[in-house]
């Protein structure tokens, strides 16, 4: 039996995207899965909520006046909208830093209007447009607060990156020495671990009490509340994470990762969900995530209607006519544990 997401053209299936899913509770028990829940994976930007924890635990967030918006932006893969760029620049200024201190590189932002305005004004792209500039600003401010070197904040042996590794190992309950390290698109370390451990991390992000130290639980609570109170800072207009968190209020915390990863924590159930599309396709990720929620009985018909574009995503032609759809074709399997 296929366990995938299908792309149709008319009445025919044109493409298939194989998927892996892991669902755990916050004690680490595997509840449901599709494919290989042990698949070693770089969750990419889905780890940003855990990368933001040291910003809080170090005291930097309080020292530089972080509220929900700034914490949410530290976890963001933002679209480069004015609200994102302005907040990054404001945060940097609080520590007497500038955009020149950001080492995230740059790229064309998802927000098309911001890019068109940049072209009209004859200006060039700068690092603040990077979807990771909020994360990098948090890293920089923590280094400044702790009197650490800001030139090397990206490097794996920098104290801040070691703190991040410890957080991920602790919250996801996976030995630090077994976590594979690569380099993310923005130049900082990225971490490779089994899908079920990533799901565990999001279960604890959603409901950390009694699973980690009280200090860490408080930091995770603050990260989750920042993201769910200000979901527009995590992504932006017409983005899945923002729309999902807004529709579900404070109950779901969500973070996309590159190469077909989506992670969701469910607060009232204390469970975590991770989806990995085998071929890295983004178009299958959101459809798969919504189907997992549906099969788990999370959400009302009204909430799913508000998110209809992600449930069975339309395939459009150049005339914006619907000529097919992206639809789920899998069933969650209950784990034997």
């Amino acid at each position: 039996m296929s366990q995938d997401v299908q792309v149709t053209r008319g009445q025919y299936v044109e493409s298939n995207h194989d998927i892996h899913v892991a669902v755990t509770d916050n004690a680490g028990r595997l509840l449901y899965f599709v494919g290989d829940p042990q698949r070693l994976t770089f969750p990419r930007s889905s780890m940003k909520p855990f990368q933001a924890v040291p910003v809080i635990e170090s005291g930097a967030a309080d020292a530089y006046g972080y509220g929900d918006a700034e914490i949410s932006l530290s976890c963001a893969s933002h679209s480069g909208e004015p609200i994102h760029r302005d907040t990054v620049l404001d945060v940097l200024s609080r520590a007497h830093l500038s955009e020149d201190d950001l080492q995230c590189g740059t790229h064309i932002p998802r927000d098309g209007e911001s890019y068109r305005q940049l072209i009209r004004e004859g200006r060039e792209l700068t690092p603040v447009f990077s979807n990771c500039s909020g994360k990098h600003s948090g890293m920089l401010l923590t280094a400044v607060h702790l009197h650490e070197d800001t030139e090397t904040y990206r490097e794996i042996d920098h104290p801040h990156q070691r703190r991040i590794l410890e957080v991920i190992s602790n919250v996801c309950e996976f030995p630090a020495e077994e976590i594979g390290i690569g380099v993310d698109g923005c130049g900082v370390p990225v971490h490779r671990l089994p899908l079920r451990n990533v799901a565990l991390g999001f279960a604890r992000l959603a409901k950390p009490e009694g699973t980690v130290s009280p200090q860490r639980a408080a930091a995770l609570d603050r990260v989750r509340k920042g993201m769910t109170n200000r979901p527009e800072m995590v992504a932006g207009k017409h983005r899945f994470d923002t729309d999902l968190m807004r529709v579900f209020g404070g109950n779901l915390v969500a973070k996309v990762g590159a190469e077909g990863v989506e992670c969701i924590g469910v607060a009232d159930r204390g469970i975590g969900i991770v989806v990995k599309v085998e071929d890295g396709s983004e178009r299958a990720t959101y459809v798969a995530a919504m189907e997992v929620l549906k099969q788990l009985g999370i959400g009302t018909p009204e909430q799913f209607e508000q998110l209809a574009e992600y449930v069975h995503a339309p395939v459009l032609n150049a005339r914006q006519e619907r000529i097919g759809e992206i639809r789920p074709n899998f069933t969650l399997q209950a784990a034997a544990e």
Side-chain angles (χ1 to χ4, degrees), residues 120-173:
R120 288 194 297 267
E121 295 174 355
R123 296 189 292 128
E124 295 185 358
L125 284 167
T126 59
V128 75
F129 284 88
S130 166
N131 75 90
C132 296
S133 61
K135 174 180 73 176
H136 279 249
S137 62
M139 292 177 175
L140 275 166
L141 263 67
T142 305
V144 171
H145 179 65
L146 296 177
H147 308 289
E148 296 167 352
D149 183 38
T150 58
E151 293 291 330
T152 60
Y153 76 89
R154 293 190 297 118
E155 298 178 9
I156 186 59
D157 290 326
H158 190 280
H160 189 71
Q161 299 303 332
R162 304 309 294 180
R163 287 189 286 270
I164 288 171
L165 180 62
E166 185 277 325
V167 170
I168 292 172
S169 173
N170 172 243
V171 179
C172 297
E173 210 166 286

Side-chain angles (χ1 to χ4, degrees), residues 48-57 60-62 64-77 87-88 91 94 134-138 141 205 218-231 233-235 245 253 255:
K48 286 176 178 174
F50 309 120
Q51 291 171 309
V53 166
V55 183
I56 295 169
E57 291 183 343
D62 288 336
Y64 294 109
Y66 270 44
D68 287 340
E70 292 85 355
I71 289 172
S72 186
L73 190 64
S74 291
C75 306
S77 297
T87 305
V88 170
V91 163
R94 298 176 195 179
K135 174 180 73 176
H136 279 249
S137 62
L141 263 67
L205 175 63
L220 289 168
D221 269 332
R222 194 168 170 186
V223 168
R224 184 190 70 257
K225 289 174 182 176
M227 293 173 70
T228 56
N229 288 341
R230 296 297 303 271
M233 303 302 286
V234 173
M245 287 190 283
V253 57
K255 186 68 196 70

Side-chain angles (χ1 to χ4, degrees), residues 190-204:
V190 63
H191 308 84
R192 181 175 183 258
L193 58 168
L195 288 174
R196 67 175 295 174
N197 295 84
V198 180
L200 170 59
F202 269 77
R204 290 176 170 177

Side-chain angles (χ1 to χ4, degrees), residues 6-264:
Q6 300 176 334
V7 183
T8 69
R9 187 167 295 269
Q11 62 181 314
Y12 305 104
V13 175
E14 184 171 37
S15 301
N16 303 77
H17 299 287
D18 292 334
I19 64 165
H20 306 278
V21 177
V23 182
T24 76
D25 63 18
N26 64 359
R29 289 183 290 266
L30 182 67
L31 305 177
Y32 300 94
F33 68 96
V34 173
D36 181 8
Q38 294 292 143
R39 186 190 189 281
L40 289 166
T41 302
F42 286 110
R44 303 289 295 277
S45 286
S46 292
M47 304 311 279
K48 286 176 178 174
F50 309 120
Q51 291 171 309
V53 166
V55 183
I56 295 169
E57 291 183 343
S58 68
D62 288 336
Y64 294 109
Y66 270 44
D68 287 340
E70 292 85 355
I71 289 172
S72 186
L73 190 64
S74 291
C75 306
S77 297
H78 65 72
S79 294
E81 297 166 28
I83 190 173
H84 304 129
R85 305 193 315 268
D86 292 347
T87 305
V88 170
L89 294 175
D90 176 49
V91 163
L92 290 170
S93 72
R94 298 176 195 179
H96 306 291
L97 297 168
S98 73
E99 189 175 4
D100 291 338
D101 293 295
L102 292 172
Q103 296 181 27
C104 50
T106 193
H107 56 76
I108 295 173
R110 277 182 178 256
D111 183 41
E113 179 50 38
S114 290
Y115 186 48
R116 288 189 290 273
Q117 182 178 349
L118 197 72
I119 293 172
R120 288 194 297 267
E121 295 174 355
R123 296 189 292 128
E124 295 185 358
L125 284 167
T126 59
V128 75
F129 284 88
S130 166
N131 75 90
C132 296
S133 61
K135 174 180 73 176
H136 279 249
S137 62
M139 292 177 175
L140 275 166
L141 263 67
T142 305
V144 171
H145 179 65
L146 296 177
H147 308 289
E148 296 167 352
D149 183 38
T150 58
E151 293 291 330
T152 60
Y153 76 89
R154 293 190 297 118
E155 298 178 9
I156 186 59
D157 290 326
H158 190 280
H160 189 71
Q161 299 303 332
R162 304 309 294 180
R163 287 189 286 270
I164 288 171
L165 180 62
E166 185 277 325
V167 170
I168 292 172
S169 173
N170 172 243
V171 179
C172 297
E173 210 166 286
F174 195 70
E177 63 273 14
E178 296 182 26
I179 295 176
I181 303 296
V183 179
D184 215 337
C186 63
V188 298
V190 63
H191 308 84
R192 181 175 183 258
L193 58 168
L195 288 174
R196 67 175 295 174
N197 295 84
V198 180
L200 170 59
F202 269 77
R204 290 176 170 177
L205 175 63
K207 192 174 182 180
E209 293 76 15
T211 66
V212 292
S213 71
Q215 179 193 28
R216 184 139 296 161
L220 289 168
D221 269 332
R222 194 168 170 186
V223 168
R224 184 190 70 257
K225 289 174 182 176
M227 293 173 70
T228 56
N229 288 341
R230 296 297 303 271
E232 75 282 1
M233 303 302 286
V234 173
K237 298 188 295 286
H238 313 302
R239 296 280 303 279
F240 179 71
D241 287 342
T242 293
D243 293 344
L244 185 72
M245 287 190 283
R246 182 174 288 134
V247 168
F248 277 85
N251 193 38
L252 297 190
V253 57
K255 186 68 196 70
V256 70
E259 295 298 320
V261 176
E262 179 66 40
C263 297
I264 300 171

